[in-house]
Amino acid sequence: MPVETTAELEAILGYETIAVVGCSSTPGKAAHDVPKYLLEHGYDVIPVNPFADEIFGREVYDSLADVELRLDVVCIFRPSDEVSEIVDAALERDDVRVIWTQQGIRDDEAAARAEDAGRDVVQDKCMKVQHRQLVA
């Protein structure tokens, strides 16, 4: 079952390192503004986008496989039909604890695979909104 309870969400929001797949360099887009908010609130945001070199003054990685840093959460800002491939890439890593798909994004089959592999899954929720409601 995907994470739904307040206690589970609060625990996840306690993790520090978040890879943002689909992070955007365009202000005004949710894929830019949400990670910027997270960065401003103390999270170590790792942008993943094959079409950018730098976002927020940080190095951008082409894929999750290219990230050599330890990751706690993979936050997905890509269309639902791309989630499965991203989840598979996250599952190839031993460090990822949580797969989080932003509001309007979900893939129940990929979520079930992630849960079967021992990962927590949050679907169709905005990380910024949850942080404001539960932590800030």
Side-chain angles (χ1 to χ4, degrees), residues 16 22 27 31 36 39-40 57 69 80 95 97 109:
E16 297 176 359
K36 181 179 180 194
L39 188 61
E40 290 169 349
L69 305 166
S80 295
D95 54 350
R97 301 175 186 193
E109 289 180 16

Side-chain angles (χ1 to χ4, degrees), residues 86-107:
I86 297 164
V87 167
D88 289 344
L91 294 178
E92 290 180 19
R93 300 179 61 103
D94 293 333
D95 54 350
V96 175
R97 301 175 186 193
V98 180
I99 309 291
W100 186 306
T101 64
Q102 280 296 121
Q103 192 167 352
I105 304 169
R106 69 179 305 122
D107 180 330

Side-chain angles (χ1 to χ4, degrees), residues 27-44:
K29 285 186 149 188
H32 176 87
D33 296 347
V34 171
K36 181 179 180 194
Y37 169 89
L38 295 170
L39 188 61
E40 290 169 349
H41 284 81
Y43 291 95
D44 186 10

Side-chain angles (χ1 to χ4, degrees), residues 50-102:
F51 303 107
D53 294 323
E54 185 179 293
I55 300 174
F56 315 125
R58 309 191 105 201
E59 178 182 358
V60 179
Y61 296 87
D62 288 343
S63 70
L64 286 174
D66 294 331
V67 179
E68 295 177 2
L69 305 166
R70 183 189 59 77
L71 303 174
D72 297 315
V73 179
V74 171
C75 181
I76 302 172
F77 275 97
R78 297 299 304 146
S80 295
D81 63 355
E82 294 180 25
V83 169
S84 183
E85 181 180 325
I86 297 164
V87 167
D88 289 344
L91 294 178
E92 290 180 19
R93 300 179 61 103
D94 293 333
D95 54 350
V96 175
R97 301 175 186 193
V98 180
I99 309 291
W100 186 306
T101 64
Q102 280 296 121

Side-chain angles (χ1 to χ4, degrees), residues 7-20:
E8 291 172 312
L9 289 167
E10 286 175 341
I12 289 169
L13 291 168
Y15 292 137
E16 297 176 359
T17 307
I18 304 169
V20 180

